[in-house]
Amino acid sequence: YERGVRLVGSEMCIRDRATLYLAATDGPAGYEKMVALKRIHPHLAKERRYLDMFLDEARLAARIVHPNVCGVIDFGESDGQHFLAMDFLQGVPLSELMRAVGRSASLRADPLWLSVVGRIVRDACEGAAVEAGFGEDVEGDRDDFFLAFTPE
């Protein structure tokens, strides 16, 4: 990719409209930062409606700066493929965490777990409120809405 973004692994997540890859940005003196690279599926990029939705998402996401929202590092087109490079969150998808809790009676009985759930819900609501505060309705479904639980 242009602008020093390169894939470093296979797909992390494939959704209806886009695929998410692990990538890295390269800079001077060996600088490297891990990023999540979202690419619209090539067959959808040929349809103006889906391409416009992807670009609208990128423009809106680039304006949001909040600790509970993934930051946008770059977006554009390279070799005919549209991409969105975002902060890479090292963590566990919330769905995975919930499955683990569902399998563990001792974890479900731990009072600390309720405070963790409360923190996750509060942080997710704060991030969603920031996005909603922009007053723009970006067309599209939320199939790529992703909550991650990070150690911070």
Side-chain angles (χ1 to χ4, degrees), residues 5-64:
V5 178
R6 63 183 164 80
L7 298 179
V8 295
S10 60
E11 303 96 7
M12 291 191 302
C13 183
I14 300 172
R15 298 295 181 151
D16 291 343
R17 297 183 185 174
T19 301
L20 196 63
Y21 299 88
L22 180 60
T25 60
D26 294 322
Y31 170 84
E32 179 181 85
K33 180 177 180 172
M34 301 308 289
V35 299
L37 186 74
K38 184 176 184 178
R39 292 193 319 199
I40 186 172
H41 296 309
H43 70 282
L44 294 178
K46 294 176 185 172
E47 295 186 40
R48 189 81 232 164
R49 175 176 176 245
Y50 289 105
L51 180 57
D52 286 345
M53 287 178 359
F54 185 80
L55 296 175
D56 286 346
E57 175 191 351
R59 284 188 286 267
L60 176 61
R63 292 171 35 204
I64 298 172

Side-chain angles (χ1 to χ4, degrees), residues 5 12 42 48 54 59-60 73 81 89 92-93 99 103 122 131 133-134:
V5 178
M12 291 191 302
R48 189 81 232 164
F54 185 80
R59 284 188 286 267
L60 176 61
I73 296 164
Q81 293 199 338
L89 298 178
V92 177
R99 277 193 295 277
R103 292 189 299 264
R122 184 196 73 201
E131 181 180 347
F134 278 91

Side-chain angles (χ1 to χ4, degrees), residues 10 16 18-19 37 46 48 67-70 80 84 86 88 91 95 97 101 104-105 114 118 136-137 139 143 145:
S10 60
D16 291 343
T19 301
L37 186 74
K46 294 176 185 172
R48 189 81 232 164
N68 297 339
V69 177
C70 273
L84 174 60
M86 303 169 287
F88 173 69
S95 58
L97 182 63
V101 170
S104 171
L114 289 177
E136 294 184 28
D137 185 19
E139 185 179 347
D143 72 323
F145 185 73

Side-chain angles (χ1 to χ4, degrees), residues 101 104-117:
V101 170
S104 171
S106 63
L107 192 54
R108 285 191 313 272
D110 187 342
L112 181 61
W113 171 242
L114 289 177
S115 66
V116 169
V117 169

